[in-house]
């Protein structure tokens, strides 16, 4: 039980990996589903999947308060450095060993303009392998793509997928994603924040159970899942 993941609503996650705190896409101010205030977030690292405001969120303020290191694609890392924040840039297909584990950035089909209009490069997903060998994939905002099969070949304990539709995969394509990825567990996110991405996660979980060997876990904002 070395990995615990808490969903703070929308795409904001808090990971605890062997005691190291990793915040992912900490959009809390202005997030109607948020269950935690930015001032309450503990972070040693902050991972950013892409430049959109509902993912960069409160990351600058949290990084400045906690001293957390931001990790993202290089364009976004440089943007954070310009805000006075320590940041580590990687890029798609590239992995690096951090204190919490080995992080590889993966393909994501989406956009990535930053809140001030700066160019954010390509969006990414996050593939993390802990020192104990747990492997989990946080897809970020993305449409379905066939190379999810390659990510699945790595042997996933957990996948965290958007199901909201409109901006990302909807429930049908997210179910196809589960089939390509074949994770042991899956958690749906990026839905119900606003009416345009309202979904029925329990109905989706039922389909996952019926059609795959993957165990779905529908969290309420604020709830946690442990590997
Ligand atoms: Ni986005
Ligand atoms: Mn988004």
């Amino acid at each position: 039980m070395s990995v615990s993941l808490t969903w703070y609503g929308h795409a904001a996650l808090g990971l605890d990996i062997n005691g190291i705190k990793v915040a992912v896409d900490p959009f809390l101010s202005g997030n109607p589903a948020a269950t935690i205030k930015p001032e309450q977030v503990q972070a040693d690292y902050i991972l950013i999947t892409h430049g959109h405001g509902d993912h960069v969120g409160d990351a600058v303020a949290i990084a400045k308060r906690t001293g957390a290191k931001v990790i993202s694609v290089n364009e976004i890392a440089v943007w954070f450095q310009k805000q006075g924040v320590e940041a580590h840039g990687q890029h798609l297909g590239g992995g690096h060993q951090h204190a919490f584990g080995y992080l590889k950035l993966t393909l994501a089909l989406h956009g990535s303009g930053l809140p001030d209009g700066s160019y954010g490069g390509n969006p990414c997903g996050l593939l993390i392998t802990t020192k104990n060998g747990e492997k989990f994939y946080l897809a970020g905002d993305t449409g379905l793509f066939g190379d999810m099969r390659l990510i699945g070949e790595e042997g996933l304990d957990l996948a965290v997928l958007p199901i909201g539709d409109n901006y990302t995969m909807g429930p049908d394509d997210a179910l196809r994603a589960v089939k390509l990825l074949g994770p042991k567990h899956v958690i749906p996110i990026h839905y119900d924040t606003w009416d345009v991405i309202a979904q029925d996660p329990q109905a989706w979980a039922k389909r996952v159970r019926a059609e795959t060997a993957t165990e779905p876990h529908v969290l309420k904002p604020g709830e946690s899942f442990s590997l």
Side-chain angles (χ1 to χ4, degrees):
M1 292 300 171
S2 62
V3 178
S4 117
L5 175 154
T6 304
W7 184 42
Y8 295 123
H10 198 55
L13 301 168
L15 310 176
D16 184 319
I17 303 174
N18 300 313
I20 300 173
K21 310 281 188 198
V22 182
V24 181
D25 289 350
F27 164 57
L28 302 165
S29 303
N31 173 357
T35 57
I36 188 170
K37 291 188 181 3
E39 308 82 63
Q40 298 174 296
V41 173
Q42 294 178 36
D44 301 302
Y45 293 87
I46 302 172
L47 312 186
I48 302 293
T49 60
H50 64 289
H52 292 163
D54 61 319
H55 295 260
V56 169
D58 301 288
V60 171
I62 294 168
K64 286 189 172 168
R65 176 177 54 77
T66 60
K69 181 191 284 187
V70 171
I71 307 173
S72 190
V73 297
N74 196 59
E75 289 86 348
I76 291 177
V78 168
W79 184 83
F80 273 96
Q81 287 162 356
K82 285 182 185 155
Q83 326 289 316
V85 167
E86 188 187 354
H88 174 96
Q90 297 185 204
H91 237 300
L92 304 196
H96 186 77
Q97 187 70 50
H98 299 278
F100 58 84
Y102 184 79
L103 169 68
K104 185 156 79 174
L105 302 190
T106 66
L107 178 65
L109 296 182
H110 197 65
S112 192
L114 283 151
D116 63 3
S118 298
Y119 175 65
N122 286 307
C124 69
L126 309 167
L127 182 61
I128 297 172
T129 309
T130 69
K131 288 186 173 143
N132 299 333
E134 297 105 344
K135 199 175 284 260
F136 52 100
Y137 168 57
L138 313 178
D141 281 9
T142 187
L144 179 69
F145 54 91
D147 285 353
M148 285 182 178
R149 189 189 313 278
L150 298 178
I151 297 170
E153 280 175 7
E154 300 219 15
L156 301 176
D157 295 297
L158 169 68
V160 178
L161 304 179
I163 67 159
D165 218 351
N166 194 73
Y167 303 114
T168 68
M169 295 188 285
D172 291 350
D173 278 355
L175 177 60
R176 296 167 74 193
V178 172
K179 292 174 183 174
L180 291 171
L181 292 162
K184 289 196 184 99
H185 305 275
V186 67
I187 295 172
I189 63 167
H190 211 278
Y191 65 91
D192 280 2
T193 322
W194 304 286
D195 287 347
V196 70
I197 55 172
Q199 295 297 342
D200 180 344
Q202 296 295 352
W204 183 77
K206 207 171 161 185
R207 294 171 70 194
V208 171
R209 273 193 202 99
E211 296 185 35
T212 77
T214 298
E215 181 61 26
H217 304 271
V218 175
L219 302 180
K220 292 191 178 68
E223 286 184 345
S224 300
F225 172 79
S226 292
L227 265 182

